[in-house]
């Protein structure tokens, strides 16, 4: 008897669920905003990578460009927050993705440029 009562309650609860209304305008607005922030993060990563390569080319030890890159990556959320007017829509995951893109993009560009410089003998 108790099993039948439980089944009826579960069926009534399952039937009462309705999906919420999807906010298409909010979704598209956030996606366009994130595309702009992504472009800005790519520009920052390129700038840091080129600056790190130039500092390495000048003859500074490896930790000077690396430390500068870390500082710029750590400060970039403030720059992106100021540059993008709707940055309050970003979640923690969005920020983490932008920071990871900047960090690994800067490292990749720096390593490739240093490797090309060493390989060419410059």
């Amino acid at each position: 008897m108790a099993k039948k009562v439980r089944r009826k309650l579960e069926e009534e609860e399952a039937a009462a669920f309705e999906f919420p209304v999807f906010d298409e305008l909010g979704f598209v607005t956030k996606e366009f905003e994130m595309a702009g922030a992504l472009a800005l993060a790519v520009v920052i990563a390129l700038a840091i990578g080129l600056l790190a390569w130039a500092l390495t080319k000048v003859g500074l030890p490896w930790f000077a460009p690396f430390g500068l890159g870390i500082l710029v990556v750590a400060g970039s959320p403030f720059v992106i927050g100021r540059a993008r007017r709707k940055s309050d829509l970003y979640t923690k995951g969005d920020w983490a993705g932008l920071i990871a893109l900047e960090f690994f993009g800067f490292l990749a560009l720096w390593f490739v440029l240093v490797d090309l410089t060493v390989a060419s003998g410059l």
Side-chain angles (χ1 to χ4, degrees):
M1 191 83 155
K3 291 182 181 180
K4 289 182 183 180
V5 172
R6 259 190 226 145
R7 285 185 190 162
K8 286 184 180 180
L9 289 175
E10 290 174 359
E11 289 174 4
E12 289 176 7
E13 288 176 5
F17 177 76
E18 293 181 17
F19 285 102
V21 178
F22 183 65
D23 182 17
E24 292 138 358
L25 181 62
F27 175 77
V28 170
T29 302
K30 183 178 178 202
E31 290 301 312
F32 278 125
E33 183 64 29
M34 284 304 300
L38 181 69
L40 190 57
V42 167
V43 168
I44 291 171
L46 289 174
I48 302 169
L50 289 173
L51 181 63
W53 172 73
L55 291 175
T56 303
K57 185 81 170 138
V58 169
L60 291 175
W62 66 269
F63 53 83
F66 183 73
L68 179 68
I70 295 294
L71 287 175
V72 174
V73 168
S76 67
F78 301 108
V79 173
I80 293 173
R82 289 285 191 160
R84 306 300 303 170
R85 61 186 171 126
K86 293 186 179 180
S87 63
D88 56 333
L89 296 175
Y90 303 168
T91 62
K92 290 179 185 177
D94 296 335
W95 284 114
L98 291 174
I99 290 169
L101 173 88
E102 289 172 7
F103 179 72
F104 291 116
F106 133 69
L107 280 180
L109 183 62
W110 181 30
F111 290 169
V112 166
L113 289 175
V114 167
D115 191 36
L116 289 175
T117 303
V118 170
S120 66
L122 296 175

